[in-house]
Amino acid sequence: MSDTTLETLLRRDRAVVAASLFVIAAAAWAYVLWLATHMAVPGPRDAGTDMTGMDMSGMDMGAAMAPAFQAWSPADFAFTFAMWAVMMVGMMTPSVAPMLLLYAGVGRKAQASGQPIASTMWFFSGYLLVWVAFSIAATGAQWLLARLALLDPAMAADSRILGGLILIAAGLYQWTPIKGACLRQCQAPIAFLAGRGGFRSTPLGALRLGMDHGAYCLGCCWALMALLFVGGVMNVLWIAGIAFLVLLEKVVPAGQLIARVSGALMAAVGAWFLVGAL
C-alpha cells in the first residue's frame, strides 16, 4: 500500500469504521435470519432429528428448544451460546456506532498530532466482551427455562403468567434510577469519555474503556433482552423491534421519555397477560 493510499484511507476513517460496522451487523443479522428460517418450525420433533429435520452431525439442537426438558450436551450449550452471542452483536452494533465513529474521528486527529490512541477495534472488542458475557448468562437462563418446561418450540414463554411477569419486570426496570443513569452514559459519548479521563493510548486501556461502556449499555438494555423470552428468541420481527427500541433510546434526544413510555406499555401488557391467565 502506497503512502498516498494510506493517507487517503486514514482521512476516511469514519467511513471505514461505518462500513465495517455495517458488515458486522449485516453478517450477524444474516445468521439470525438463517437460524430463524431453519429452526423455528412448529410441531413435534421426530425421533433422531432436530426440530427442522436437519442433520447437524450429532448436535441435538432441538434439545435446546423443545418445550419439555431434555438433557443438553456440551454441543447444545455451545450452539445456544453462539446463537445468543451473534444475536447480541447484530442487535447492539447499531446503537454503539455513534461512539465508535467519535472514537475513530478523535483517533485520526490524535495520530496527526503525534499522540496516537489505541485502535477503535480494541474499544469495540471490549464492548463486545460484555455482551458475550451476557450471552453466557442468557444461555443459562434458556437452559433453566427449558429444564422447567416453560418454553415452547419458538423459545418463548409457554405460559401467559411467565410472559406477563417478564413484561412487568422489564417495564418497571425502565423507570428505575439505574436504567436512567446507564442510559445517560450511553446517550452522551463525550460525557462518558470525559468522566473516565478520555481516550487510552494502550490497547489494554482501550479494551477496558470499551468494557466500561459495554457495562453501562448492559445496565441499560438487559431487561429489554429478557423480552426475547416473551416474543420468542428466534422471532425475527420481535428481535428487530427490540433492537429498534434500544437504538431509539440511545440516539433520540427524548430517549429517557421513550424508555418510560415503553416501560409503562410493557407493564400494562404484562398485567393484561396476568389477568387473562386467571
Side-chain angles (χ1 to χ4, degrees):
M1 180 180 295
S2 67
D3 291 342
T4 302
T5 303
L6 179 59
E7 290 174 2
T8 302
L9 184 62
L10 289 175
R11 283 197 297 270
R12 297 175 180 174
D13 55 316
R14 289 171 64 89
V16 171
V17 170
S20 300
L21 292 176
F22 176 81
V23 170
I24 292 171
W29 276 101
Y31 181 68
V32 170
L33 287 169
W34 181 87
L35 288 177
T37 301
H38 289 78
M39 295 167 58
V41 179
R45 192 162 55 99
D46 294 331
T49 63
D50 64 15
M51 290 177 59
T52 65
M54 296 172 62
D55 179 11
M56 297 303 291
S57 302
M59 181 186 295
D60 187 9
M61 293 191 298
M65 294 172 290
F69 172 71
Q70 301 178 37
W72 284 18
S73 69
D76 294 322
F77 276 103
F79 174 81
T80 305
F81 162 71
M83 176 191 71
W84 276 98
V86 173
M87 186 162 55
M88 291 303 101
V89 171
M91 294 178 72
M92 302 311 301
T93 296
S95 67
V96 77
M99 180 69 173
L100 296 178
L101 292 175
L102 171 66
Y103 193 108
V106 172
R108 177 174 58 82
K109 294 178 181 179
Q111 180 76 31
S113 65
Q115 297 179 324
I117 62 175
S119 168
T120 307
M121 288 308 300
W122 284 107
F123 180 90
F124 188 37
S125 296
Y127 178 85
L128 291 182
L129 279 175
V130 173
W131 286 103
V132 169
F134 171 80
S135 298
I136 297 174
T139 300
Q142 184 175 329
W143 171 83
L144 180 60
L145 291 173
R147 194 180 201 283
L148 298 175
L150 293 175
L151 294 181
D152 64 17
M155 290 180 284
D158 199 24
S159 162
R160 288 178 66 89
I161 293 178
L162 177 60
L165 291 175
I166 294 174
L167 280 165
I168 291 173
L172 293 178
Y173 185 78
Q174 292 285 87
W175 286 76
T176 62
I178 296 177
K179 165 75 178 193
C182 291
L183 182 55
R184 282 191 292 273
Q185 293 291 329
C186 294
Q187 289 177 316
I190 295 177
F192 166 81
L193 291 167
R196 277 150 194 80
F199 296 92
R200 302 293 190 268
S201 59
T202 64
L204 183 58
L207 188 73
R208 290 177 175 173
L209 188 63
M211 292 175 67
D212 286 346
H213 189 64
Y216 279 112
C217 187
L218 178 61
C220 177
C221 302
W222 72 267
L224 296 178
M225 298 307 163
L227 295 178
L228 289 168
F229 288 117
V230 177
V233 176
M234 281 290 97
N235 184 330
V236 176
L237 291 178
W238 191 250
I239 295 170
I242 294 174
F244 184 64
L245 177 58
V246 168
L247 184 62
L248 281 181
E249 286 185 358
K250 291 186 177 183
V251 303
V252 174
Q256 295 280 353
L257 178 61
I258 291 174
R260 295 193 173 188
V261 171
S262 64
L265 290 174
M266 292 172 203
V269 174
W272 178 66
F273 273 29
L274 294 181
V275 171
L278 297 179

